Amino acid sequence: IIFFPIIGLCFAIILSCYKNAVLFSLYYALLIHIVIGIIILVLAFLGFTNLNISTDAKGFASLYSTHGFTSTVQTYGTLCITWLMLYLLRKRMGLNTGIDKLFLIITNLAILLTFNRSSYLFWLIVLFFEFPVFFWSMAVLMVAVLIKFWNIITTFLWQLAGKLRPCIAAYTFSNL
């Protein structure tokens, strides 16, 4: 506990002296982590590594979500959103180049591959205000997915509700 303020003070001093260097370093360090997370996901899907876990606990045995070197998809999604915020900051500062648009696409793909609703929510809010065309494209795509897979989604939700009903009843009656 004693060392955290010292580390924070050192970081603040470094940040005040080297603003662009810290921005540059964070931007590319997060990008490298995001790309490695996608590579690990592809390798796990192909069966070459077990660094990525299946989301079997969520009810989808064949669905893999990316989380890079972090322990959860929420943390990985937060890192992706942080990169997106740095991208927007660099865009306003006029530091982005053409390759940064490719990096933006890669990061948006990484956010999609997290399959994490909290990352999706914040991502869609950012898209709504900063990239409205992409936001409406995603909205149309999501409506099309809902229409196409409506029977599968409702079947899954009803099965989940049936499994939870005894747990809810036991919890309700035990608290009376």
Side-chain angles (χ1 to χ4, degrees), residues 44-62:
F45 185 72
L46 296 175
F48 291 116
T49 183
N50 60 358
L51 290 174
N52 202 324
I53 58 170
S54 173
T55 55
D56 189 29
K58 291 184 179 181
F60 299 105
S62 62

Side-chain angles (χ1 to χ4, degrees), residues 75-159:
T75 308
Y76 185 78
T78 302
L79 292 177
C80 292
I81 296 295
T82 303
W83 185 92
L84 189 60
M85 294 288 114
L86 289 173
Y87 172 84
L88 294 172
L89 176 65
R90 285 174 48 105
K91 182 178 177 183
R92 291 193 178 142
M93 293 172 65
L95 298 174
N96 285 349
T97 60
I99 193 76
D100 291 317
K101 290 184 181 180
L102 174 66
F103 297 158
L104 177 66
I105 293 170
I106 291 171
T107 303
N108 284 328
L109 176 67
I111 293 171
L112 277 173
L113 292 174
T114 61
F115 297 106
N116 180 15
R117 64 183 176 261
S118 60
S119 297
Y120 284 170
L121 179 64
F122 193 76
W123 177 58
L124 289 173
I125 291 170
V126 170
L127 288 181
F128 181 77
F129 289 108
E130 295 293 331
F131 306 100
V133 173
F134 192 64
F135 171 79
W136 290 111
S137 300
M138 288 301 300
V140 169
L141 177 70
M142 291 300 153
V143 168
V145 166
L146 280 174
I147 291 170
K148 174 69 176 165
F149 298 108
W150 180 255
N151 289 335
I152 295 170
I153 293 169
T154 55
T155 302
F156 172 74
L157 290 176
W158 284 115
Q159 287 176 357

Side-chain angles (χ1 to χ4, degrees), residues 7-23 26:
I7 293 171
L9 181 63
C10 291
F11 182 73
I13 291 169
I14 291 170
L15 186 63
S16 67
C17 294
Y18 306 103
K19 293 175 187 167
N20 289 336
V22 172
L23 176 65
L26 282 174

